[in-house]
Amino acid sequence: MKHKAVLRVCSKVLMPPIMLFALYVQFHGDYGPGGGFQAGVIFASAFILYALVFGVAEARRVAPSAVTRAALALGLLLYAGVGVAGMLLGGNYLNYSVLGDDPVHGQHLGILLIELGVGVTVASAMITIFFIFAGRDRDEVDG
């Protein structure tokens, strides 16, 4: 792919808007269509585009397996942690209304954190699945 200069330049130009759009979908999910799952898939598509244009080995240097696996765990822990925090504050599991001073603020904070956890988990899972299918699920250093 080194001789495809136009493709490389176009992908470098497109990747930041793709990631910015993913953030928009992530944080606009409270008010309209979108949310964590959609944002995670869009965000992962930027990494997959990078891997397709610049090579899987180069993309793995940008997103090593340790980082993607840690992000998988972090997203899941954030999701579960919001539920446990609701229980510790006297509500049911994933009852967001106890997370804030008033129930409306707690609902907004809870869904924001839940959707963030889902977005991180989905993006990390999509990137990991892509690298596994590409045959590079381990770092270049590992073997």
Side-chain angles (χ1 to χ4, degrees):
M1 274 290 173
K2 293 183 178 164
H3 59 281
K4 307 282 185 189
V6 173
L7 186 59
R8 292 168 68 94
V9 169
C10 287
S11 65
K12 280 185 180 181
V13 169
L14 284 176
M15 283 177 12
I18 290 171
M19 291 181 180
L20 186 63
F21 182 64
L23 290 175
Y24 170 77
V25 170
Q26 173 74 45
F27 293 111
H28 191 262
D30 295 355
Y31 308 108
F37 186 85
Q38 294 87 346
V41 171
I42 294 168
F43 197 80
S45 71
F47 282 96
I48 293 170
L49 173 66
Y50 185 84
L52 291 174
V53 173
F54 294 96
V56 176
E58 183 64 30
R60 207 29 139 170
R61 285 189 200 92
V62 173
S65 62
V67 172
T68 56
R69 290 179 184 151
L72 274 166
L74 178 70
L76 181 62
L77 286 174
L78 180 60
Y79 187 96
V82 170
V84 170
M87 286 175 41
L88 292 176
L89 293 172
N92 294 328
Y93 187 75
L94 294 178
N95 179 9
Y96 312 135
S97 57
V98 297
L99 296 177
D101 297 335
D102 62 341
V104 174
H105 183 260
Q107 290 283 331
H108 182 70
L109 177 64
I111 198 67
L112 183 72
L113 292 174
I114 287 292
E115 291 293 330
L116 185 61
V118 169
V120 168
T121 303
V122 168
S124 303
M126 293 296 294
I127 292 168
T128 302
I129 290 168
F130 173 78
F131 285 135
I132 288 172
F133 282 145
R136 300 279 181 132
D137 70 330
R138 290 185 283 166
D139 290 330
E140 294 296 317
V141 176
D142 291 340

